[in-house]
Structure formats: structure tokens, C-alpha cells
Amino acid sequence: MPLVAVVLTFLNEERFLEEAVRSVLDQTLTDWELVLVDDGSTDRSTAIARDLAAQNNRIRYIDHPRHENRGTSVSRNLGVARTTAPYIAFIDGDDVWMPGKLAEQVELLESMPDVAMVNGAGRYWWSWDPASTRADQTYLIGGAADRRLDPPEGALAVRPLGREATGTVDLLVRRSVFEAVGGFEERFRGMYDDQTLYLKVFLRYPVYISSRVWLLYRQHDASCRAHSSPIDTMRVHRVFLDWLKDDIERLGDARVSAAFRHARRRRQYQALKARVPDRFKNPVKRALRRAPFQDSVTPG
């Protein structure tokens, strides 16, 4: 049985898929299996993935019945279900791993038997495109660097309960933990899908956040993030908060519940601000800051 199961999901990634797979093949740790999950591609990426699988017995190609598009969360869960390794990693079809990603993350998890998941720093990768004028940007998940976070500290640090970035799925998680929390929430197809897994794990298990950059998160015009309108983002964010409320109520942690109430108020303020004409936004913001919110919440 391989040590690490790598699940690579893709939808119409003919430009980048081979480079993503190559970054897995180039890992210094070689004890892995790779499942390419096709989420209903209509371009050449289906043929590319099939060819890659035919060339290497550690790579498998799968898709949904009738070659349907089911969304990222369903595709990732399907990929995990078709593997057996005790550690699980994820990569999207347009991203790239650094060569030491798996070896270093496995070493960290094996040195901390009670830690459920290891995460690295995120890097928004613009420089892959020679025509780009934007500089790459690196951020720390939860604002943490090279430290262990016990539950629920990780969840309280990242949005929406905290102020820091949650990050992409640059993680290595124990299969036992992934299965215990139910994997990705399948109602989320492209936005907030990563956050559901992060928060379920952060709320319940110790995690380790590294300052190492293991993933290059490619920025391009065809990505899901680039195609998300502010209205779509607000709508899915509302659904995300409704889902999170149910999960938090099951936990019954007073600190987490208070942080969630703050998050709901911030969301209500942001929704109101989006509907206010620009010339009135500063007066409305000042008025809301003076409002007697419960728990002394300051919207922002």
C-alpha cells in the first residue's frame, strides 16, 4: 500500500495538467499513488490524463458516471474513496508542487502522531506568466508560522471566525481524520469548498502550520476564483455561514459560538455596505461602529 494518496481534480485544464502531474512525479518522496479525477472536461485534458495514466502504473484516471460535472468537493471525495494510503494530499490541475512537498509534510506528521494535518504557506503565483505585471504574494495560513495549533485555535484564527487567510488545499491529512470529519462538503462546488475541510479539522484536531511554501497557486483568467462575481461570492458565503452554524452548534464551544456571531454581523455589514452608494459608505460605517451590538462587536 502506498504511503500517500494524491488526488488531482481537473476541469478543462489542457494548458496546465501535464505540468501539475509532472510536479507530483518530481517529488523526492516516491511512495505515492495518484488519482486523476476528471470533473467533466470537454477539452483535451481528458485525453491528456488518460495518456498520463497509461504511461505510469502509479497513476489512475477516473471520472463521474456519464462524464458529468459534479464539482470540486464531490470529485475530491471520489478520488479519496478510490485510494487506500494513510496520508492524503490534494492538488488542482492548474497548480504546481515544490519537489520536497510530500517528503517534508510526511516527516512532520510522523514526528507529531497526534497532529491531524500539516499545512504550508500559500503563494499566489503570477510569475508563471511572463506577461504578468503582478508580483507573487506569499501568505501564512491563520497568520501562523511553524507552530502547532490545538483546537479550536486554528478555526478561531482563520476567516470567517478570525481575520487571517484559510489558504488553498496545500495540506497533508491523515485518512482517519478525513473520514472522521466526512471529507469535503459536497454542496460547495468551487467556492468555500476548501474552507469546509479546514474548519471541520481545525475545530476538532491539533494541526501544524508551516511557513514553508510547498504549493504554487496559479493565478489566471480561467480559474474559478477569477470567474466569481461579488454577487455569487456573497450568495455562497451566506450558504457557507449557514452550514458552519450547524456544525458549530453540534460542538457547543462558547468561544467558537461567540466568534461565529461576530462573523455573522460582519457579513451583514458587508452586505449592507455593498448596497450603499459610495458617497454614503463612510457615514454608514461610522454609524454602525457606534451601534450597541451585543458582545461589543465592531464591524469592519
Side-chain angles (χ1 to χ4, degrees), residues 130-290:
S132 176
T133 59
R134 299 187 62 171
D136 295 346
Q137 181 182 3
T138 301
Y139 60 91
L140 298 173
I141 295 176
D146 305 317
R147 58 182 289 232
R148 168 195 173 116
L149 298 175
D150 289 320
E153 298 302 330
L156 292 172
V158 299
R159 293 190 289 264
L161 302 182
R163 299 286 186 169
E164 302 292 341
T166 309
T168 60
V169 286
D170 177 29
L171 57 87
L172 187 71
V173 62
R174 298 183 192 275
R175 176 179 295 273
S176 58
V177 170
F178 183 88
E179 292 175 347
V181 301
F184 292 92
E185 291 295 313
E186 296 189 349
R187 75 189 78 176
F188 298 98
R189 294 178 57 92
M191 288 188 287
Y192 294 97
D193 47 355
D194 300 350
Q195 286 90 330
T196 63
L197 180 65
Y198 271 110
L199 284 167
K200 286 194 291 186
V201 175
F202 284 6
L203 285 166
R204 293 167 173 84
Y205 296 94
V207 297
Y208 185 82
I209 309 298
S210 173
S211 62
R212 293 276 292 159
V213 173
W214 288 305
L215 171 76
L216 300 178
Y217 180 35
R218 193 189 305 265
Q219 304 299 296
H220 60 93
D221 292 342
S223 69
C224 174
R225 187 169 178 266
H227 281 256
S228 301
S229 70
I231 293 174
D232 288 340
T233 301
M234 292 294 287
R235 176 183 55 80
V236 180
H237 187 228
R238 183 172 63 252
V239 175
F240 173 69
L241 289 179
D242 289 342
W243 164 80
L244 183 58
K245 177 177 180 290
D246 292 340
D247 198 41
I248 286 172
E249 287 178 347
R250 286 192 291 270
L251 285 174
D253 185 297
R255 282 195 304 158
V256 174
S257 296
F260 179 77
R261 291 195 295 271
H262 294 188
R264 289 296 288 261
R265 290 190 180 92
R266 285 197 299 270
R267 193 264 167 198
Q268 290 164 0
Y269 164 70
Q270 290 161 357
L272 174 62
K273 187 171 69 170
R275 295 193 296 268
V276 172
D278 287 343
R279 67 183 183 276
F280 295 128
K281 284 183 178 177
N282 285 334
V284 168
K285 187 173 182 178
R286 287 193 296 269
L288 287 171
R289 280 179 170 164
R290 291 193 297 268

Side-chain angles (χ1 to χ4, degrees), residues 80-91:
V80 171
R82 298 290 183 88
T83 64
T84 58
Y87 299 137
I88 304 169
F90 301 91
I91 181 172

Side-chain angles (χ1 to χ4, degrees), residues 33-50:
E33 57 181 329
L34 171 61
V35 178
L36 306 177
V37 187
D38 189 342
D39 192 22
S41 297
T42 56
D43 67 355
R44 289 184 55 255
S45 53
T46 295
I48 292 169
R50 289 183 181 276

Side-chain angles (χ1 to χ4, degrees), residues 24-69:
V24 179
L25 291 169
D26 288 344
Q27 290 297 296
T28 57
L29 185 147
T30 59
D31 190 9
W32 49 259
E33 57 181 329
L34 171 61
V35 178
L36 306 177
V37 187
D38 189 342
D39 192 22
S41 297
T42 56
D43 67 355
R44 289 184 55 255
S45 53
T46 295
I48 292 169
R50 289 183 181 276
D51 287 345
L52 290 167
Q55 295 166 19
N56 192 309
N57 59 13
R58 291 183 296 169
I59 303 175
R60 282 179 289 148
Y61 168 90
I62 62 174
D63 61 353
H64 301 290
R66 298 173 296 280
H67 201 66
E68 292 176 343
N69 170 244

